[in-house]
Amino acid sequence: MTKGVIIIKGLIMAGGKGTRLKPLTCSLPKPMVPIMNKPVMEYSIELLKKHGITEIAVTLAYMPTEITDYFGNGEKWGVNLHYFIEDEPLGTGGSVKNAESFIDDTLIIISGDALTDLDIQTAIDYHREKESKATLVLRNEEVPIEYGVVITDDRGKIRRFLEKPSWGEVFSNTINTGIYILEPEVLDYYNRGDKFDFSKDLFPKLLKDQVPMYGYVMEGYWCDIGDLNSYKQTHFDILDDKVEIKLDAKYLAKGSWIGEGTHMGEGVKIVPPIYIGRNCRIKDNVVLDQYTVIGDDCIIGKDSSMKRSILWEGTSLGEQVEARGAVICHRAIIKNKVELLENAVIGDFTHLAEGVVVKPDIKIWPSKKITENTIVNQNLIWGTKASKILFGYRNISGEINLDINPEFASRVGASYSTSIQGDTTLVVSSDDSNGANLVQNALISGIQSTGSQAIQLQGAVMPMARYAVQYFRADGGIHVATDRKNPNKITIEFLDEKGGNISRSKERDVENLFSRDDFKRCNGEQVKKVIYVNEFKSFFIKDGLKEFKNTSNIKKNNFKIILSSYAKNGVEVTGELLEEMGCHVEYHHPKGKEKMMDFHIASLAKEVMEEGAFLGVFLSETGEELMLVDEKGRIIGQENYSALAVLLQLKSGVKDPIILPHTAPRVTEEMARGYEVEVIRTKSDPSNILKEMLQEKEFGGKVALQYLLSYNAVWAIGWIVDFLGNLNTTLGELVDELPQMYFLKREISCDWRDKGRVMREIIEEYSQGNVELFEGVKINDDRGWTLILPDSERPLFNIYAEGYTEEFAEELSSSFTEKLKTLIGK
């Protein structure tokens, strides 16, 4: 293959609905959304034509006639368009395969709903030089988690794909743009009519079969017009001359474009850069501030002002209108003295009467009429705010009545209920604080509005919430809790049908439903009454006692347990369970300013020794985790407790596989293998860990022991006391059996924009060594291992290091800390 003039065909994928762009796409398919006054797909056609590609297939699915009516056979653009319509969604690969009668030579596939100025000639030359069968056009992206990440070697050969990775899977900042150069034979893996995706199905097969596949990192501009923010930013980038495209307007001095036939009144002030289409009438004393974009045939009344706003064609603004960061769709009518605030979106043919105020982030769907002097402070469908990312590491959190108010919580409840198919029952629990109860009630209202059944528990800790989902055979659950350190902060945690945390894909479903206001709704007769469950604590204690083998020995010895926690509910239920077992329970409470964790634990340890207690327990505020103090006053912190939980299961004779997160010390795994028990490594987030722990356990059977010991601290302490009592041994004697661990964890601050780049550079530097890319980057050597893991909620890296000696652990941790600081500083 040699360089030369391009003689290939093009294919534009134009089947997108643009759901996240609503209400812009209520009456248009995504490729027809206008950018600078013409459909975004038109730029793709012009780009192909610029590089000599005139035979172009277009794959269609959603509202195809909107596209075919506008573009026709392509004669206007000097190309030949061939249309292929899907009767049902076939996926990206299936969509292209549907056009196989068109494909008889090298093919470049480009999206009809992304904007790019890719140098196609250079990309094709690269494809031919590499003798590639499939070349993916890539680009570097500062925050890559919303895209597919592609990992290549130093020659550009593709090694791995990750579709919309978590931060722990961001091994590079090089993303897939969805532009592909393919040889026809790679499509032979599937038949016409098959449903398959390029990234999920075809490319992994090519990779497995060692078909030559390369990544070409483009230099120019590319933006997926996926949401409202990127839609607006694309316009601003064009005005800033970051994109090489042709605009249908006359360029004036200082960055202003004005179309033919546009008339300006007296005193009009223009602050560039701006774009004004054809045949517009801009009346006297109008202010068109930076980044204003006006479509064809628009009217702007006198004394009005616009800034960072986009008007589609045929829109009319009255006098003294203010638009700030708004998008106004086709032929909307905006009367006098209307205020459109940041991120407001006004749908096609909507009529806003005089004096209307549209608050920030509000979306108004097409063809609505808003009467005079109305303040629009919620979307006309439902709710008050749209958000792209809701979930952090394992939950939604924020300030009560600021980030999380009743309206927000109601929408979240409706979103989660809608994400579950069929007749749904959800357990909704709270820790009984006033703020948590407020949010809990709002969540229940949202659930009820979808026709689903809500079961309400109060005064609960997380293990009770998880067990309640199983107990009531519910389809999922939501638990609301107040942060101990900040009483104004609320967390909302979501559970699946087994009581585990929901998956990242389910989180995305909820986020998408939430941002689109796309909830199922029921009529009044379908609203179900809330089931209020009082004293579920009693059921929880009763069933917990069934997990213990023989409490008679405990009652005989009357073991003294000193119990401590910041969580009132957790202390109460744990104390009652231990007393029911026959233990003598004493309570150790934080006092006054002595709420520093280290001080509090040291105080507990001292009390255990002075009182001659059997053991001391510090319960986390969620009720899930434990710190223990043995009879000698030694503190068993979280890392040592995790190893202890494994040892307890091994010594109990239970042969279930041991589930270990990727961050767990290797010595724990070696301990399990010494008992000839299988070890399963999983990613470190609770969703993946709990999925493995609960995988084979159904309601009515015995609770998985490792789950009990790791995520149900209330039952765990009872089980530990029961186990020690029956063996007639002490906690200290078990602790003495734990292997020595040399394990360190550090945190290094890093801007979100640098995370992907730093991960890529780390992988490149250590590519010749013993590297694992399961989660984060784990580097093994003869001293031990180091794991570099981007944090999913905070702008930082977590560095885990385990050495064969204490000196090696410190050496590994320090050296990689300095390495990361150097890379971040670049």
Side-chain angles (χ1 to χ4, degrees):
M1 296 184 184
T2 59
K3 292 186 180 181
V5 177
I6 298 177
I7 307 176
I8 66 171
K9 290 182 175 181
L11 185 145
I12 298 174
M13 301 186 68
K17 289 184 177 182
T19 306
R20 288 187 294 150
L21 276 171
K22 286 186 176 181
L24 304 188
T25 51
C26 286
S27 55
L28 286 175
K30 189 178 175 187
M32 293 300 293
V33 170
I35 297 286
M36 289 297 185
N37 205 34
K38 63 185 183 183
V40 60
M41 178 175 149
E42 191 166 339
Y43 295 101
S44 297
I45 292 174
E46 291 174 346
L47 178 67
L48 292 170
K49 175 64 166 56
K50 175 183 174 181
H51 289 275
I53 302 172
T54 57
E55 293 296 323
I56 303 170
V58 183
T59 63
L60 305 173
Y62 178 65
M63 300 176 71
T65 56
E66 291 288 331
I67 295 174
T68 57
D69 288 351
Y70 182 89
F71 290 105
N73 63 8
E75 182 180 2
K76 178 181 175 181
W77 292 268
V79 300
N80 296 316
L81 296 181
H82 310 262
Y83 297 105
F84 297 87
I85 301 174
E86 301 171 47
D87 295 325
E88 58 181 74
L90 297 174
T92 54
S95 175
V96 173
K97 183 70 174 179
N98 192 47
E100 68 176 347
S101 61
F102 171 84
I103 304 167
D104 55 9
D105 202 344
T106 305
L107 181 73
I108 182 166
I109 299 168
I110 193 167
S111 173
D113 49 31
L115 184 69
T116 182
D117 57 10
L118 170 70
D119 185 341
I120 293 177
Q121 176 73 64
T122 304
I124 292 291
D125 290 343
Y126 178 90
H127 175 78
R128 288 173 171 166
E129 284 175 359
K130 296 292 186 181
E131 298 186 345
S132 176
K133 296 298 183 182
T135 297
L136 282 65
V137 176
L138 313 175
R139 76 185 295 267
N140 293 325
E141 181 72 21
E142 289 179 338
V143 181
I145 61 170
E146 288 302 309
Y147 304 95
V149 169
V150 179
I151 299 172
T152 61
D153 64 18
D154 55 3
R155 296 178 295 114
K157 196 167 187 179
I158 290 172
R159 293 302 185 195
R160 190 173 179 187
F161 298 94
L162 290 162
E163 191 67 23
K164 291 188 177 179
S166 66
W167 273 112
E169 298 169 312
V170 174
F171 305 126
S172 172
N173 65 333
T174 308
I175 67 161
N176 181 5
T177 65
I179 302 172
Y180 309 122
I181 304 168
L182 304 180
E183 297 302 319
E185 57 263 36
V186 302
L187 296 173
D188 293 342
Y189 278 78
Y190 293 91
N191 297 316
R192 188 169 182 267
D194 289 350
K195 294 181 181 179
F196 70 101
D197 286 312
F198 284 126
S199 294
K200 293 180 182 177
D201 303 307
L202 178 60
F203 294 154
K205 284 191 175 184
L206 298 180
L207 201 62
K208 182 181 178 183
D209 290 353
Q210 297 184 343
V211 173
M213 189 163 43
Y214 287 82
Y216 170 73
V217 181
M218 65 176 289
E219 295 289 338
Y221 185 86
W222 175 87
C223 184
D224 173 30
I225 317 299
D227 56 36
L228 289 165
N229 286 333
S230 62
Y231 175 73
K232 290 198 298 182
Q233 187 61 49
T234 300
H235 286 82
F236 304 157
D237 290 341
I238 293 170
L239 289 173
D240 282 335
D241 203 25
K242 294 180 179 179
V243 195
E244 289 188 23
I245 59 171
K246 180 183 176 182
L247 296 179
D248 296 335
K250 182 179 179 182
Y251 179 75
L252 301 181
K254 300 181 180 178
S256 300
W257 285 262
I258 299 181
E260 294 180 359
T262 287
H263 178 265
M264 297 281 192
E266 295 182 1
V268 173
K269 181 181 179 182
I270 292 177
V271 183
I274 67 162
Y275 175 94
I276 304 173
R278 296 182 293 269
N279 304 318
C280 295
R281 286 181 288 162
I282 314 298
K283 306 240 177 133
D284 297 348
N285 302 317
V286 166
V287 177
L288 301 179
D289 212 330
Q290 290 181 315
Y291 301 106
T292 292
V293 176
I294 300 173
D296 294 344
D297 304 311
C298 290
I299 300 171
I300 314 293
K302 67 179 183 180
D303 300 316
S304 291
S305 67
M306 296 180 61
K307 184 175 183 179
R308 302 180 75 87
S309 294
I310 300 167
L311 268 64
W312 290 10
E313 66 172 337
T315 296
S316 173
L317 268 60
E319 299 178 1
Q320 300 179 51
V321 172
E322 292 186 9
R324 300 288 182 268
V327 178
I328 307 168
C329 297
H330 291 128
R331 306 196 183 282
I333 298 175
I334 313 298
K335 291 295 188 178
N336 299 340
K337 299 180 180 179
V338 169
E339 292 183 43
L340 306 175
L341 302 181
E342 188 71 23
N343 295 325
V345 182
I346 313 301
D348 295 335
F349 305 105
T350 288
H351 185 154
L352 303 186
E354 187 167 327
V356 168
V357 177
V358 181
K359 291 286 192 176
D361 301 307
I362 298 305
K363 302 172 188 174
I364 299 177
W365 257 240
S367 303
K368 300 293 186 292
K369 291 186 177 181
I370 312 298
T371 57
E372 292 182 359
N373 300 317
T374 299
I375 297 176
V376 185
N377 56 17
Q378 62 178 16
N379 297 343
L380 286 192
I381 294 179
W382 182 263
T384 61
K385 187 178 180 181
S387 175
K388 188 176 179 183
I389 301 295
L390 294 176
F391 289 85
Y393 173 60
R394 60 181 280 179
N395 54 39
I396 296 173
S397 63
E399 297 280 322
I400 185 75
N401 281 333
L402 291 176
D403 306 304
I404 298 177
N405 57 29
E407 296 86 359
F408 174 94
S410 178
R411 292 176 65 213
V412 168
S415 299
Y416 186 43
S417 177
T418 301
S419 74
I420 302 172
Q421 300 297 318
D423 192 15
T424 304
T425 298
L426 295 173
V427 173
V428 188
S429 56
S430 78
D431 63 9
D432 212 19
S433 68
N434 291 338
N437 288 344
L438 173 70
V439 172
Q440 179 189 33
N441 289 330
L443 286 164
I444 288 172
S445 294
I447 292 166
Q448 286 181 290
S449 73
T450 67
S452 296
Q453 179 71 66
I455 299 174
Q456 185 189 59
L457 308 181
Q458 289 185 312
V461 287
M462 181 58 76
M464 292 171 63
R466 295 191 192 279
Y467 190 66
V469 172
Q470 293 187 353
Y471 187 90
F472 293 109
R473 300 178 186 269
D475 300 291
I478 307 176
H479 182 67
V480 188
T482 307
D483 192 294
R484 169 186 60 83
K485 299 174 184 176
N486 180 2
N488 290 316
K489 186 177 180 182
I490 292 290
T491 62
I492 307 173
E493 197 148 355
F494 295 77
L495 309 178
D496 63 18
E497 73 281 1
K498 290 187 177 181
N501 287 59
I502 62 173
S503 66
R504 181 65 187 118
S505 62
K506 175 62 74 172
E507 288 178 0
R508 285 198 178 103
D509 289 344
V510 174
E511 287 170 345
N512 289 334
L513 290 165
F514 180 91
S515 66
R516 302 194 311 254
D517 292 330
D518 190 8
F519 319 131
K520 59 185 179 185
R521 291 294 185 212
C522 67
N523 60 37
E525 293 179 349
Q526 294 172 313
V527 175
K528 295 182 174 65
K529 289 184 177 179
V530 180
I531 298 174
Y532 298 95
V533 180
N534 298 317
E535 292 301 316
F536 182 72
K537 177 175 65 174
S538 300
F539 297 101
F540 182 66
I541 292 172
K542 176 185 171 186
D543 287 351
L545 292 170
K546 294 177 183 177
E547 296 294 325
F548 313 143
K549 291 182 178 179
N550 183 8
T551 58
S552 59
N553 191 42
I554 297 169
K555 291 177 180 177
K556 175 183 173 183
N557 286 282
N558 194 27
F559 294 128
K560 180 187 286 189
I561 312 294
I562 301 180
L563 181 60
S564 182
S565 178
Y566 293 114
K568 176 185 174 185
N569 294 327
V571 167
E572 287 180 357
V573 68
T574 307
E576 287 186 35
L577 181 140
L578 290 171
E579 288 172 354
E580 193 75 28
M581 290 175 65
C583 295
H584 171 67
V585 182
E586 293 187 0
Y587 299 91
H588 179 276
H589 300 288
K591 296 179 181 178
K593 297 180 181 180
E594 298 175 359
K595 291 188 177 182
M596 296 294 290
M597 177 68 76
D598 291 344
F599 180 93
H600 183 46
I601 297 296
S603 175
L604 173 64
K606 181 180 178 183
E607 190 170 330
V608 168
M609 285 193 297
E610 290 176 349
E611 296 287 329
F614 187 63
L615 55 82
V617 184
F618 180 81
L619 196 72
S620 71
E621 58 185 301
T622 65
E624 291 187 293
E625 297 171 343
L626 284 175
M627 290 180 70
L628 297 176
V629 178
D630 70 10
E631 72 281 0
K632 301 174 184 177
R634 292 181 296 181
I635 298 167
I636 296 93
Q638 189 55 50
E639 287 300 332
N640 281 323
Y641 176 75
S642 297
L644 177 65
V646 171
L647 179 62
L648 286 166
Q649 175 168 328
L650 296 172
K651 293 183 76 69
S652 73
V654 173
K655 291 296 184 181
D656 289 347
I658 296 293
I659 312 302
L660 292 180
H662 195 49
T663 55
R666 189 174 289 162
V667 293
T668 309
E669 180 174 350
E670 292 169 355
M671 179 173 63
R673 296 198 188 283
Y675 280 79
E676 299 183 345
V677 171
E678 180 187 1
V679 173
I680 297 174
R681 286 278 187 172
T682 182
K683 293 187 171 115
S684 58
D685 61 283
S687 174
N688 279 290
I689 297 170
L690 285 163
K691 180 182 178 182
E692 291 291 344
M693 287 184 178
L694 298 172
Q695 192 168 19
E696 303 300 329
K697 301 297 178 181
E698 300 293 338
F699 178 80
K702 294 288 287 182
V703 174
L705 180 56
Q706 193 181 4
Y707 161 74
L708 183 155
L709 292 169
S710 303
Y711 284 94
N712 187 340
V714 181
W715 289 8
I717 187 56
W719 190 94
I720 291 169
V721 172
D722 180 61
F723 180 79
L724 295 174
N726 281 304
L727 285 184
N728 195 28
T729 188
T730 65
L731 179 62
E733 289 173 316
L734 274 185
V735 170
D736 289 339
E737 292 187 37
L738 290 175
Q740 184 67 53
M741 285 189 290
Y742 306 107
F743 186 81
L744 296 172
K745 180 189 174 188
R746 287 179 175 167
E747 297 177 350
I748 304 297
S749 297
C750 178
D751 192 286
W752 290 102
R753 296 172 300 177
D754 291 323
K755 281 185 175 181
R757 173 185 62 80
V758 170
M759 289 289 281
R760 173 172 54 81
E761 292 177 358
I762 281 281
I763 292 170
E764 289 172 353
E765 182 165 344
Y766 291 92
S767 60
Q768 302 305 313
N770 185 351
V771 175
E772 299 174 42
L773 299 180
F774 177 68
E775 181 186 30
V777 182
K778 181 179 269 189
I779 301 160
N780 303 282
D781 64 23
D782 54 8
R783 297 170 295 174
W785 60 266
T786 308
L787 174 65
I788 299 167
L789 184 63
D791 197 277
S792 60
E793 287 189 302
R794 297 172 295 167
L796 57 83
F797 281 98
N798 298 295
I799 301 178
Y800 301 86
E802 182 184 18
Y804 295 115
T805 66
E806 185 175 3
E807 182 182 4
F808 283 163
E810 182 60 45
E811 191 177 298
L812 287 167
S813 182
S814 298
S815 63
F816 279 97
T817 296
E818 292 307 311
K819 170 62 69 177
L820 247 66
K821 286 180 178 178
T822 300
L823 291 175
I824 292 166
K826 288 171 59 179

